[in-house]
Every structure is written in structure tokens, then in C-alpha cells.
Amino acid sequence: MPKVSIIVPLFNKSKYIAATLDSILQQKFDDYEVIIINDGSTDGGPQIVERYAENDRRICLINISNGGVSNARNVGLKYARGEWIQFLDGDDLIDPQYLSEGIALAESAGVDILFTNFQMIDENGKLVKEVLINIKGPQIRKGCVGILLNISTKMDFFGYISNKLIRRKLLEKSKAAFPIEISLAEDLDFYAHLYPYVQKAYFAPINSFFLFADRHELSEQ
């Protein structure tokens, strides 16, 4: 079984998906599987993924009818086999050091979830904005849930899914899933079900991914 399952919903991201996959394949850590959920794309994105999958068995393409990003992520979770779950969007670029550093920190600290910094870039790769953690180190359950739920509604940092490494056992225990009936701030509903089950979290001052700044406010649909 892979250590990490990287789940990527894909809807009309042909312009970006090759760069996203390249960034994953450049990881220093290689014990992972990549689950691409093609959510009814009408561009050439799935064909690009197929070419990558032919050359790397860790990449799996699953085609479904369009049902929205939440449904696609939920489908990805059903196929995931890893001890850890990493969500990534089809236009994100994962930092080459992230999984090696993140897994080492998460497992040495024995946490349920790891939070990290991330950066926004333009289409030329120029840094536009850094989104940094204002908390560092481990947080245990006594104060953890309040911190997570309170700050989730106030900070950009907590409104993204790709800067979080989640232990699969936490997802199984909480039964958290993305609500398919909500099209705005669906992540917050997911977190509200997930965070009460967190026993220990870790806020790591490392970078997890690069987000294209001109795309971050656009929906998947």
C-alpha cells in the first residue's frame, strides 16, 4: 500500500494538469499514488493524464459524469489506499520537498493532520503572495478544535484544502465527506465534521504547494 494518496479532481484543466503532474513526479518522496478524478471534462485534460498514466503506474485516471468538485473528491477517497490523504487541485503545483518533509514531521509527531504554508504565483511562476501560518508546532486536543474552527472562518490559510496532509484514519473515524449539495465554501462544512475528531495537529512552517493566483477564486465548474 502507498504511504500517501494524492487525490486530484479534474474539470477542464488541460492548460495546467501536465504541470501539476510534473510537480508531483518531481517529489523527493515517491511512496504515493495519484488518483485523478475526471469530473466530466470536455477539454483534452483526461487525454494528457492518460499519457502520464501509461508511463507511471502510480497514476490512476477515473472517469465519472460531471457532479462537481465535492463529489469528485469523495469518489477519490473511496479509491484511496494510502495512510495519508493529500488533496490537490488540477492547477496546483506541489512543492518538490513537501511530501518528504511533511510525512517526516507528521509521523514523528504522531499527528492526525498537518497544516503548512503555501504560495500564490502568476502564470510565469512569479511570487504574488505568501500565505503563512500564524501558529507553529503541535496542538493537542484541549485547544485544537477551538483553534481550528475559529480560525477557519477568519483566515485564507484555512480555506484551502491543498495545504493539509490528513491521516486516513481521521477521515474514517469522523466520516467527513464533502457536501455535494453545497457549491460555495464546501470545504468549511467538511472541516466542521473533521476537526472535532482531531486529537493532535501540527502547524509546520514549510511550503506545500503553489497556487495560480488568477485561478484561485474560480470554481471548478
Side-chain angles (χ1 to χ4, degrees), residues 103-148:
I103 289 294
L105 283 171
E107 296 203 329
S108 64
V111 300
D112 300 308
I113 186 169
L114 181 93
F115 297 89
T116 53
N117 303 328
F118 66 93
Q119 299 178 339
M120 293 183 181
I121 58 175
D122 63 21
E123 290 195 5
N124 296 315
K126 183 179 179 181
L127 180 64
V128 174
K129 178 182 179 182
E130 288 185 285
V131 182
L132 305 175
I133 303 173
N134 64 354
I135 305 168
K136 290 185 175 65
Q139 296 286 331
I140 60 173
R141 180 172 176 79
K142 185 176 181 181
C144 184
V145 177
I147 289 171
L148 297 178

Side-chain angles (χ1 to χ4, degrees), residues 10-184:
L10 178 66
F11 180 77
N12 291 353
K13 299 286 187 180
S14 61
K15 182 178 178 180
Y16 298 93
I17 190 61
T20 297
L21 289 170
D22 285 341
S23 74
I24 294 172
L25 295 175
Q26 290 166 8
Q27 286 294 294
K28 305 301 182 183
F29 179 93
D30 62 4
D31 188 9
Y32 59 78
E33 63 179 357
V34 185
I35 303 171
I36 311 288
I37 307 299
N38 171 31
D39 188 30
S41 295
T42 57
D43 64 357
Q47 289 71 36
I48 294 172
V49 176
E50 285 175 353
R51 292 197 291 272
Y52 277 81
E54 288 173 359
N55 296 314
D56 197 317
R57 293 184 178 181
R58 293 173 299 179
I59 300 173
C60 174
L61 176 66
I62 298 169
N63 297 301
I64 62 174
S65 299
N66 181 260
V69 65
S70 291
N71 180 64
R73 287 175 179 156
N74 290 337
V75 171
L77 283 172
K78 291 178 181 178
Y79 284 91
R81 301 175 297 151
E83 296 176 37
W84 293 90
I85 303 296
Q86 175 64 49
F87 292 101
L88 201 66
D89 287 338
D91 54 1
D92 292 339
L93 303 178
I94 192 168
D95 188 284
Q97 305 288 343
Y98 169 56
L99 287 181
S100 59
E101 295 178 344
I103 289 294
L105 283 171
E107 296 203 329
S108 64
V111 300
D112 300 308
I113 186 169
L114 181 93
F115 297 89
T116 53
N117 303 328
F118 66 93
Q119 299 178 339
M120 293 183 181
I121 58 175
D122 63 21
E123 290 195 5
N124 296 315
K126 183 179 179 181
L127 180 64
V128 174
K129 178 182 179 182
E130 288 185 285
V131 182
L132 305 175
I133 303 173
N134 64 354
I135 305 168
K136 290 185 175 65
Q139 296 286 331
I140 60 173
R141 180 172 176 79
K142 185 176 181 181
C144 184
V145 177
I147 289 171
L148 297 178
L149 292 177
N150 183 47
I151 302 180
S152 288
T153 62
K154 298 178 181 179
M155 289 181 61
D156 281 350
F157 172 82
F158 286 91
Y160 294 88
I161 192 68
S162 300
N163 66 329
K164 301 167 182 67
L165 184 63
I166 306 170
R167 195 181 291 271
R168 190 171 69 164
K169 288 183 179 179
L170 173 63
L171 289 161
E172 293 171 346
K173 185 189 303 183
S174 66
K175 296 182 172 57
F178 294 91
I180 60 176
E181 69 279 4
I182 298 176
S183 59
L184 182 64

